[in-house]
Amino acid sequence: MGFLSEAQLSDEFGPFVAFQEAVGFIPNLLQAQTLLPRLIAAQAVLESAMRLREGSIPRAQKERILLSVAADRQDTYCVAVDSKILSSLGLPDRQIDGLLNGGPHADLSAADLASLQFCLKLSRHPPSVCSQDIEALRTCGLGDESIFEAVLVTALAVYRCTLSLGLGPKPDFVPRKLPSTRIDRPRGPASHGLLPDAHQAAQRKGPYLPTPYLSATTFAPFAIVQKTHGFIPNFFRAQTLRPDLLEAELEALGLILLPEDVLTRVQKECILLVVSAANLNSYCVAMHCNMLRGLGMPPEEGDQVSVDHHEADLSESDKALLDFAVKLGTHVPEFSREDVVKLQTLGFTEEQILECVAVTALNNFANTLQMGLGIEPDFAPPQVFQENKVHLSGAALTPMQREGLVHVVNTLQDADVELVALAQGGQLDAFEDLVRRHTQLIYRTLIGILGNPVDAQDAMQDTFLSAFKNIGAFQGRSKFSTWLVTIARNTAFQTLRGRKNVEGLDESEHDENGDFRPRQVRAWQDNPEQSHSKAEIRQLVETGILALPAKYRVVVVLRDIEHLSGDEVARQLGLSVPAVKTRLLRGRLMLREWLSPHLTTSYKGAAQ
């Protein structure tokens, strides 16, 4: 029995059948996840594609990588399982013991030995991997697909070890004896030129392997990614060398991250963010900060989570959940059942803890993969994270470090700090400077919601008056501009609800029954900027938004312009989430219908 309870699943459960056929037994690591069968399915998808099939590298070499990484991490559970599987594949005990103890591997080819050394380096300290390591493997005769598979198998090994540490499954077999400490693998000729210097890795550009182009129309999984992310991240584009493995990975990601029946998507993204930060993975930090913005978290709040979640605007229970994830995700040796019990005493269910473990394992898989392939960032990571990476190695921050980092976040992210302090001290000139600085921002927010310049001007006066009266209560937990926009939004909502003879914002039967059908939505050209400058397009969009009926305009502005989550829009407007989705869809269709003749006509005219 592991750290969590287990549910009874039929032996006919698909992943169980697959493992029984492939390795001859159902690992207890799967049994430890039976409270959420979709997590078992995710692991089965990854292992089936990346481990259990013959590929560019032989099956036995994959198992050697898995065993070596598990031994290096002192994971007795995975070592017992992987030793048994290697033995069933015909590997002699002498070689298995050599892998466990860091001894010479006389029976391995130069290419296999170089691959093993590379995988251990990638598992131990991913940021130290660089393009020269890849070139060294090529010199040893490894092809690009073999290198790609070696990176994926290493990421899978880290994923399994994280699950094992977090779930504490009972060993399937008698554990093999491991060295009391991590063995330093052979260096010199055996390392085949693998570079240990993390600074050198930072100076090199990726991706390290070729990336054939796949479109969302020719590769169906990319269409789903486009829908969930709004674009195809480089993380996925860098893996197109093997579409079959990428497809399996995307399926597993969907099974773990997309459902919100246990943890929310925001909680999962916060887990991914804090563990990536602790692992010093700038790419993943930038990605998850961006995802949190899309889910409605203010940018400065996501940046704060990346630096020190203890000072973020999160509940105490969520902070404890992230503490758990960081300890697990950075492979702290002291992690134990007591960490699980602590979360249970805070009210977390076993299912929530199990999903947190799975998300953390998935994060370590992604971090390892990104570093191993040298994937270039889609976005710049938060400046405050980059400047304080030295303090974020996974160890707990001291109170002094935490105070210093919070100060850095505030001063870097909010240029209004000094003026706000002066205004709170009673200096009217400082508040007037704040008004001048943010007048345009507040007006654009108000005109977007109200659609009327006169009403927007009146509401702006009310907004700044309310801010002046309440500035003493502003505690700096968000940027001053964010606080100001919130006041403006609430002022605009009150104005809308107070209008007479104008359709209100409240929910109505029209939201469900439908009162709009698009009439002339024409196909847009791939590049409308050929006929319009960015400024012209922006002006067209703004005009189109202002032409929308109030109840649709407000939802489009909050969701698409201010990037609030659907739940937050529903809360602020007092609507149900389905009503918000309906209004957003209709508002977008109306806007698209309004824009279509402007973009298509001009384009055709320019083409002629």
Side-chain angles (χ1 to χ4, degrees):
M1 184 74 172
F3 297 159
L4 302 173
S5 303
E6 297 177 6
Q8 188 66 38
L9 296 180
S10 168
D11 289 343
E12 301 303 312
F13 178 51
F16 284 176
V17 173
F19 270 87
Q20 186 70 51
E21 293 176 350
V23 300
F25 65 98
I26 301 171
N28 287 333
L29 186 58
L30 298 186
Q31 297 282 3
Q33 301 174 70
T34 48
L35 290 175
L36 291 174
R38 60 181 167 82
L39 301 183
I40 301 176
Q43 183 181 344
V45 167
L46 291 175
E47 296 214 29
S48 176
M50 300 172 188
R51 175 188 194 178
L52 302 178
R53 298 175 192 164
E54 291 289 345
S56 299
I57 55 177
R59 171 79 190 284
Q61 178 65 0
K62 294 180 182 181
E63 296 296 339
R64 282 192 285 264
I65 293 171
L66 291 166
L67 177 61
S68 296
V69 172
D72 196 58
R73 288 174 168 253
Q74 297 283 294
D75 191 310
T76 56
Y77 173 84
C78 288
V79 163
V81 170
D82 299 340
S83 298
K84 182 70 174 179
I85 294 176
L86 266 174
S87 181
S88 71
L89 293 176
L91 200 73
D93 284 347
R94 172 178 55 82
Q95 195 176 63
I96 294 176
D97 289 339
L99 290 167
L100 294 178
N101 293 283
H105 314 305
D107 296 334
L108 295 180
S109 68
D112 285 347
L113 195 54
S115 174
L116 203 57
Q117 289 292 317
F118 168 79
C119 295
L120 286 170
K121 178 179 180 179
L122 176 58
S123 167
R124 283 185 180 182
H125 189 50
S128 69
V129 171
C130 64
S131 59
Q132 289 189 17
D133 293 322
I134 305 301
E135 290 304 320
L137 293 178
R138 288 176 175 142
T139 301
C140 291
L142 282 162
D144 287 341
E145 288 197 10
S146 296
I147 297 171
F148 181 73
E149 278 199 21
V151 172
L152 279 174
V153 173
T154 305
L156 177 63
V158 174
Y159 172 84
R160 294 170 66 248
C161 288
T162 306
L163 285 177
S164 170
L165 180 62
L167 300 177
K170 178 182 176 182
D172 300 273
F173 309 101
V174 176
R176 293 222 177 203
K177 186 177 180 180
L178 288 172
S180 57
T181 58
R182 187 174 71 178
I183 294 294
D184 284 331
R185 304 301 180 191
R187 296 191 180 276
S191 67
H192 294 279
L194 301 180
L195 300 177
D197 188 357
H199 178 70
Q200 289 174 306
Q203 304 306 311
R204 290 171 172 79
K205 295 287 187 180
Y208 303 147
L209 300 173
T211 57
Y213 178 76
L214 293 179
S215 70
T217 55
T218 59
F219 185 60
F222 271 1
I224 300 173
V225 174
Q226 183 79 45
K227 182 177 180 180
T228 56
H229 290 68
F231 69 107
I232 311 297
N234 288 337
F235 181 82
F236 301 121
R237 291 206 180 278
Q239 300 182 60
T240 54
L241 187 63
R242 287 290 302 274
D244 57 326
L245 300 182
L246 175 56
E247 186 169 4
E249 181 186 323
L250 287 167
E251 182 179 350
L253 286 170
L255 288 167
I256 297 173
L257 293 183
L258 296 186
E260 296 197 73
D261 53 334
V262 181
L263 294 177
T264 68
R265 185 67 189 277
V266 169
Q267 286 176 312
K268 293 178 186 180
E269 288 295 333
C270 283
I271 291 169
L272 295 167
L273 176 55
V274 297
V275 181
S276 293
N279 288 335
L280 306 182
N281 189 302
S282 298
Y283 175 94
C284 291
V285 166
M287 173 60 69
H288 299 305
C289 279
N290 185 70
M291 291 297 294
L292 282 169
R293 289 188 200 108
L295 293 169
M297 180 177 284
E300 69 276 3
E301 199 61 42
D303 294 353
Q304 179 65 72
V305 172
S306 74
V307 175
D308 182 11
H309 61 274
H310 298 97
E311 297 297 334
D313 189 17
L314 302 172
S315 67
E316 292 304 314
S317 59
D318 277 348
K319 291 176 185 178
L321 185 71
L322 298 183
D323 284 338
F324 175 93
V326 169
K327 188 173 184 180
L328 172 63
T330 52
H331 206 76
V332 175
E334 292 77 21
F335 186 93
S336 66
R337 183 189 294 270
E338 282 66 35
D339 294 292
V340 174
V341 173
K342 181 179 179 181
L343 283 188
Q344 290 174 320
T345 61
L346 292 172
F348 285 99
T349 66
E350 289 192 305
E351 288 82 1
Q352 289 174 319
I353 297 171
L354 171 58
E355 189 161 56
C356 179
V357 171
V359 172
T360 304
L362 181 66
N363 177 85
N364 283 357
F365 174 92
N367 283 187
T368 305
L369 193 55
Q370 186 274 326
M371 294 287 195
L373 296 178
I375 301 172
E376 293 185 311
D378 303 276
F379 316 99
Q383 182 181 358
V384 64
F385 169 77
Q386 289 295 88
E387 294 188 1
N388 289 275
K389 282 175 91 171
V390 67
H391 300 298
L392 303 173
S393 60
L397 295 172
T398 66
M400 184 175 295
Q401 287 173 325
R402 183 171 300 136
E403 182 179 352
L405 291 179
V406 172
H407 175 71
V408 172
V409 170
N410 287 339
T411 55
L412 281 178
Q413 297 299 322
D414 195 347
D416 297 325
V417 170
E418 293 183 3
L419 285 176
V420 169
L422 293 173
Q424 288 177 325
Q427 294 192 26
L428 294 179
D429 289 346
F431 187 79
E432 289 176 0
D433 287 341
L434 289 170
V435 170
R436 282 191 290 271
R437 181 176 291 184
H438 296 295
T439 293
Q440 186 175 5
L441 168 67
I442 298 307
Y443 180 77
R444 294 179 71 87
T445 299
L446 293 169
I447 193 69
I449 296 175
L450 296 171
N452 182 310
V454 175
D455 287 345
Q457 289 283 357
D458 291 342
M460 186 165 64
Q461 303 242 358
D462 292 339
T463 297
F464 285 121
L465 179 59
S466 178
F468 179 74
K469 290 179 178 178
N470 295 285
I471 196 168
F474 176 69
Q475 298 179 353
R477 298 188 69 84
S478 67
K479 289 171 67 174
F480 176 75
S481 60
T482 302
W483 180 71
L484 203 55
V485 166
T486 301
I487 295 175
R489 238 188 259 131
N490 292 334
T491 303
F493 296 157
Q494 291 175 2
T495 301
L496 282 177
R497 291 193 172 97
R499 285 177 177 173
K500 295 182 180 180
N501 303 319
V502 175
E503 188 173 23
L505 299 177
D506 298 333
E507 206 159 348
S508 67
E509 293 182 0
H510 290 295
D511 290 325
E512 287 74 31
N513 297 334
D515 57 357
F516 169 73
R517 294 290 184 273
R519 295 179 296 279
Q520 54 170 11
V521 177
R522 308 176 190 175
W524 290 9
Q525 303 300 327
D526 289 340
N527 186 8
E529 289 188 26
Q530 292 178 4
S531 57
H532 285 64
S533 70
K534 290 183 178 180
E536 289 174 322
I537 290 177
R538 179 174 178 174
Q539 186 174 5
L540 279 172
V541 171
E542 289 178 350
T543 304
I545 289 175
L546 293 179
L548 294 175
K551 69 175 184 177
Y552 300 123
R553 183 179 64 247
V554 172
V555 174
V556 169
V557 167
L558 296 183
R559 193 74 178 87
D560 291 343
I561 306 302
E562 298 195 26
H563 302 295
L564 298 187
S565 68
D567 289 342
E568 180 63 15
V569 174
R571 186 187 67 78
Q572 292 208 17
L573 296 181
L575 301 173
S576 64
V577 173
V580 167
K581 290 181 178 179
T582 299
R583 293 185 184 189
L584 180 62
L585 174 61
R586 290 177 183 163
R588 286 171 174 172
L589 287 172
M590 290 177 180
L591 180 59
R592 186 180 179 89
E593 180 179 346
W594 190 91
L595 288 172
S596 288
H598 296 278
L599 295 180
T600 55
T601 301
S602 295
Y603 181 83
K604 290 175 182 176
Q608 292 172 356

